[in-house]
Amino acid sequence: MKARAGVRTVAVAGVEFGWGSSGKLSAVLSALRDRGGGKLRFVGLASGLGRPVLAGQPVERWFDLPEGESGEELGRIVRAQRVQAALVVLDGRLAKALRACGVPVVFVDSLPFLWTDGDRPDLPLDADVYCAQRCVELPPEGAGVLADAPRLRWVDAVVADGGVTRRAAPTQRHRSALISLGGLRAPQLADWASYPRIVLPAALEALTASGVTAVHIAGNLPAWLAAQLVDSCLHPAVTTVGALPHEDFLRRLAECDVLLTSPGLTTLLEAGRLGTPTLCLPPQNLSQIFNGRSHSRALGVEVRVPWPTGVFAEDEALALRAHGEGKALDLIYGGITRAADLDRQRTATAVRAGLVEKLRHLAAGPGVDWTALTTEVGTDGAAQVADALVELLGATAPAR
């Protein structure tokens, strides 16, 4: 369907890496809707992994892009749909391809602290608006890369409120829990099931030992695998399992007593906005090492459970990033896969012990300001990105 008279068409896309980009797209689309976005029409590009998260958003149609797309199919979609601007989260290559098709782009970079010179080729530093999300600490390597973005705009954390707030202040007595595993799959990850095979039983057993009686498992986890892993640890408190539309996830996040999450940044920020007590499961990838450390630093208390050193050493992974993110990911993914194949029980036991200790500390220790991370970086990013897109459309001639 082509755009109606006076309606501007915006293409939206998020990187095929976890669910954080989809959560951010959802937040910005909600902010645009709050601004009376009736004159905007949205079409989605690629982002197959994140579409369940965006189920409640007004994306009229999704277009798959062939792997290794050269630009021909993208150009055809842009012309047929009369795309006048694009909102792209973290997918630098697609942002560049859209600009090559003549489409102005608002690019959202939620991981500016991650980049080194080795990542420059994949970043659309010349985007029409380059929105970098504020972070607790920006290493000099990342600052040097972003210095070459002429239209750089720093924005607060890009998170949605979903119309929900916590109904009561957090308590030290945990009865309900949310486990968030995120999107799990990533382009370089051969066996994406390795992570949940280790971490999910460990998390469930730790929650059982801590007296939790109701658990929801959120994540891109097939029902058969979830059932297998839940049955393996005889956890009777699992109430529901599966992917959730973004607003449903936020409601669960507001209602639970404690969140155990792989440290994706969007989830940590969403939990921080709500003040939900949060423990970080071992990291799935390079950015999650940074995320977990920044989260604990902002809180002033260590809430991470790292991998045993036999899986991989975090400092080694951080050092490898100087050669590009791919080198560090090879170390991380290789270590997790080997642990799942060769040493799963011992690794899961160590993770379980770490979680039990952290849960016990939360129950016995002084209160924590769980909003500290979002207090430091702000929470108005979705509105700020929405404003950038509206401004860009205002500067773009309407389609004939």
Side-chain angles (χ1 to χ4, degrees):
M1 179 188 295
K2 293 184 178 179
R4 301 178 300 278
V7 175
R8 319 296 291 277
T9 298
V10 177
V12 298
V15 71
E16 295 285 342
F17 193 108
W19 275 346
S21 63
S22 298
K24 293 189 182 302
L25 281 177
S26 178
V28 177
L29 290 174
S30 294
L32 287 166
R33 198 165 50 192
D34 292 343
R35 279 159 174 67
K39 291 293 186 179
L40 298 179
R41 167 181 174 260
F42 300 100
V43 296
L45 301 174
S47 310
L49 177 62
R51 293 180 199 179
V53 178
L54 292 159
Q57 293 295 343
V59 179
E60 184 177 291
R61 181 178 176 184
W62 287 96
F63 293 90
D64 294 316
L65 294 176
E67 189 172 347
E69 158 65 18
S70 64
E72 182 177 338
E73 176 65 12
L74 181 61
R76 186 193 67 76
I77 295 168
V78 163
R79 291 187 298 271
Q81 298 298 313
R82 303 176 73 181
V83 173
Q84 292 165 275
L87 169 66
V88 181
V89 181
L90 271 184
D91 193 333
R93 293 183 181 182
L94 181 54
K96 288 185 168 188
L98 282 162
R99 295 198 81 239
C101 292
V103 178
V105 172
V106 173
F107 182 72
V108 179
D109 179 358
S110 56
L111 304 174
F113 51 81
L114 191 61
W115 312 129
T116 67
D117 284 336
D119 300 299
R120 283 179 182 271
D122 293 330
L123 293 174
L125 296 172
D126 60 349
D128 298 83
V129 186
Y130 192 108
C131 295
Q133 183 173 260
R134 299 186 194 282
C135 47
V136 173
E137 181 179 0
L138 182 66
E141 302 94 330
V145 172
L146 294 186
D148 290 335
R151 290 170 291 277
L152 175 67
R153 185 180 301 192
W154 286 99
V155 298
D156 292 355
V158 181
V159 290
D161 62 27
V164 299
T165 56
R166 289 194 69 84
R167 290 196 294 268
T171 67
Q172 291 173 306
R173 186 183 175 107
H174 301 143
R175 288 293 175 261
S176 66
L178 174 63
I179 298 175
S180 178
L181 302 176
L184 290 171
R185 304 185 191 190
Q188 286 178 251
L189 185 57
D191 181 12
W192 62 270
S194 296
Y195 183 86
R197 286 185 192 279
I198 297 172
V199 169
L200 184 57
L204 290 172
E205 290 169 10
L207 290 170
T208 299
S210 302
V212 169
T213 56
V215 181
H216 175 81
I217 302 168
N220 187 29
L221 198 62
W224 67 266
L225 179 58
Q228 181 186 92
L229 296 176
V230 170
D231 289 346
S232 71
C233 57
L234 301 176
H235 195 290
V238 175
T239 52
T240 48
V241 178
L244 295 169
H246 195 209
E247 291 185 358
D248 291 346
F249 176 77
L250 293 174
R251 279 193 289 272
R252 296 268 187 180
L253 194 55
E255 293 167 358
C256 70
D257 293 325
V258 65
L259 167 70
L260 271 57
T261 183
S262 63
L265 184 55
T266 301
T267 300
L268 292 176
L269 290 166
E270 289 170 342
R273 189 195 69 79
L274 291 166
T276 299
T278 301
L279 294 181
C280 291
L281 299 169
Q284 292 184 34
N285 53 52
L286 180 62
S287 64
Q288 291 190 356
I289 298 174
F290 281 97
N291 299 341
R293 291 184 174 192
S294 294
H295 182 236
S296 287
R297 189 178 305 122
L299 297 178
V301 59
E302 183 59 79
V303 293
R304 299 181 308 132
V305 175
W307 289 109
T309 54
V311 179
F312 68 86
E314 289 187 356
D315 287 341
E316 183 181 357
L318 295 177
L320 283 172
R321 89 185 217 282
H323 305 286
E325 186 184 10
K327 295 292 186 184
L329 291 177
D330 288 343
L331 174 72
I332 294 168
Y333 294 153
I336 295 173
T337 300
R338 284 191 301 274
D341 290 343
L342 304 176
D343 202 14
R344 187 189 313 173
Q345 187 58 53
R346 190 186 320 187
T347 305
T349 298
V351 172
R352 176 192 181 280
L355 287 169
V356 167
E357 179 187 352
K358 297 298 182 188
L359 287 164
R360 189 173 295 143
H361 179 76
L362 290 187
V368 176
D369 178 8
W370 296 105
T371 67
L373 178 61
T374 50
T375 298
E376 188 161 345
V377 299
T379 58
D380 290 331
Q384 292 161 357
V385 173
D387 288 341
L389 182 62
V390 171
E391 290 170 18
L392 184 62
L393 284 165
T396 304
R400 297 180 180 178

